[in-house]
Amino acid sequence: MVDAGALLELAAPEVLAAARDRVAPIVATPHLGEFRALWRAVEPETELPQHALPRAASALAERLGSTILLKGSVTLVATPGGFCAAAGPATPWLATAGTGDVLAGILGALAATHAAELREDPERFGPLAASAAVLHAAAACRASQDGRAPIAALDVARALPETIAALLP
């Protein structure tokens, strides 16, 4: 998983050149501002299509050879092979410091659980990342009492066990 300040490293020429030869898949988890910066680093001559973020996320995933999880009210997930999904909308309270780290933890746990399958087929990271985004949004909704109360990242993390239990039969 690549987030925050490390995101622009994905656009380094030597990293781009080695993108298809990686031994482990990468998921980049930018918010919109980080996504814009990454887009400019990879596609400096092309304007980011604001009205078509799913298409832009797919194009960036293909160019980087990495799954993109674009965090937002509606989170977009795109893979280099063409998988694209949206999860949300999430509660606006989710735009709180540290909640992206909770999402990374959820995704990391899911990735560890499915490590062999992900090494075999990195495209599986798309549905896995979308599942993480859905769990994250559902836990935030539960923690914020359906959007009525402000939350901290720890509230989202604490709501996860009950959220997962509610989703299971």
Side-chain angles (χ1 to χ4, degrees):
M1 243 164 299
V2 181
D3 194 27
L7 285 165
L8 288 180
E9 294 302 316
L10 289 175
E14 63 276 10
V15 175
L16 283 174
R20 300 292 179 206
D21 297 328
R22 290 189 190 122
V23 294
I26 290 177
V27 176
T29 60
H31 57 61
L32 186 56
E34 294 165 333
F35 183 84
R36 284 185 182 122
L38 191 53
W39 180 272
R40 282 191 302 271
V42 173
E43 299 288 349
E45 303 299 318
T46 308
E47 188 72 27
L48 176 65
Q50 295 292 335
H51 61 286
L53 284 176
R55 191 174 71 228
S58 294
L60 193 58
E62 182 179 351
R63 180 79 165 89
L64 295 174
S66 303
T67 296
I68 301 292
L69 187 151
L70 174 55
K71 298 178 287 194
S73 174
V74 174
T75 294
L76 300 174
V77 177
T79 66
F83 173 88
C84 191
T91 175
W93 293 114
L94 199 50
T96 301
T99 57
D101 297 325
V102 176
L103 175 59
I106 296 167
L107 183 53
L110 290 173
T113 303
H114 301 307
E117 295 98 327
L118 292 172
R119 277 191 301 274
E120 183 180 309
D121 181 8
E123 279 296 304
R124 292 185 182 186
F125 238 134
L128 208 63
S131 297
V134 168
L135 282 173
H136 187 240
C141 185
R142 181 177 296 276
S144 70
Q145 301 165 20
D146 289 327
R148 293 188 300 274
I151 56 173
L154 188 56
D155 299 324
V156 179
R158 286 183 176 149
L160 275 167
E162 193 174 329
T163 301
I164 293 167
L167 293 171
L168 297 174

